[in-house]
Amino acid sequence: MSDLRALLGIEHPIILGPFGGLSSIALTAAVSNAGGLGSFGLYGYEGDRICATGAELRAATDRPFAVNIWLPTGDEVEPNPQHTVFAQALQPFYEAVGLDVPSRPERYTPALEEQLDAIWEIEPTVLSVVFGVPSADVVREAHHRGIRIVGTATTVAEAVALAAAGVDAVVATGAEAGGHRVSFLRPAEESLVGTFALIPQVVDAVDVPVIAAGGIADRRGVAAAFALGAAGVQVGTAFLA
């Protein structure tokens, strides 16, 4: 089993799952200060906000931390053309509380390049990505700056694609995981492999450390993940308490 602790500079092979839109400086720093890897989800954050978040994290912890971004998949960049239909269906609810129905925005998220430029500036220990494979340029730039890249897979095929792209570790996230199903090679409903079925298959298929995620909330789950070959675990929901 690869030593994830040495790779990421942490004491305990436990990673906080990044919460897109729900991350907090306090929780991220607390996990890092306790010897794990705190993670902060940057979904929807513009460059200036990323830089400010990085400064806050640096002030809250001198330990390694990760930031997470979504790779573009389509409608979060180009707003859904059905926006008008959705808005009309919800109009009575907005009227009931005296609000105007939101107009269709030009885009839902900042450009990936804007986010990456800010991430290179704040230089986190780890950049984790979901919904795809980082480009060769992104991997090269991250490694040039000493930043580790972690990709997220819901199937063996996705894990293999990420490893081939040069990521430093792969999160094998099972169907039990909360939040978004981050499948990218096949539809999410066709990528529902359970955590403890997925882990050993991914471990056998790639030559980088595998981080187990999905339904792991206590030491029994951690022990089971390690027994199946995982080098670490990513825990989300359990930390929300």
Side-chain angles (χ1 to χ4, degrees), residues 25-189:
I25 299 296
L27 178 56
T28 302
V31 173
S32 290
N33 288 335
L37 183 71
S39 299
F40 195 100
L42 296 175
Y43 176 77
Y45 278 42
E46 297 179 344
D48 289 346
R49 191 178 180 190
I50 291 174
C51 290
T53 298
E56 290 184 70
L57 286 168
R58 293 287 182 201
T61 181
D62 59 0
R63 303 288 188 89
F65 65 85
V67 296
N68 173 267
I69 58 172
W70 292 24
L71 298 177
T73 62
D75 66 357
E76 82 283 358
V77 176
E78 299 298 332
N80 193 311
Q82 297 298 312
H83 176 91
T84 301
V85 176
F86 301 150
Q88 290 175 343
L90 294 172
Q91 185 172 354
F93 298 99
Y94 280 93
E95 291 178 346
V97 294
L99 296 176
D100 294 329
V101 179
S103 60
R104 181 185 177 193
E106 292 184 6
R107 60 189 303 125
Y108 288 140
T109 60
L112 177 63
E113 293 74 18
E114 177 183 347
Q115 291 188 307
L116 288 171
D117 285 345
I119 289 168
W120 304 148
E121 184 173 333
I122 67 174
E123 293 191 341
T125 305
V126 174
L127 168 61
S128 67
V129 301
V130 294
F131 285 113
V133 177
S135 69
D137 288 342
V138 169
V139 173
R140 187 181 307 112
E141 185 66 20
H143 287 164
H144 173 70
R145 294 172 179 273
I147 299 171
R148 303 294 189 184
I149 292 269
V150 175
T152 310
T154 64
T155 65
V156 174
E158 291 177 352
V160 170
L162 287 164
V167 302
D168 297 288
V170 172
V171 176
T173 179
E176 299 89 340
H180 292 82
R181 192 79 188 132
V182 294
S183 305
F184 58 88
L185 289 183
R186 297 181 66 84
E189 61 270 21

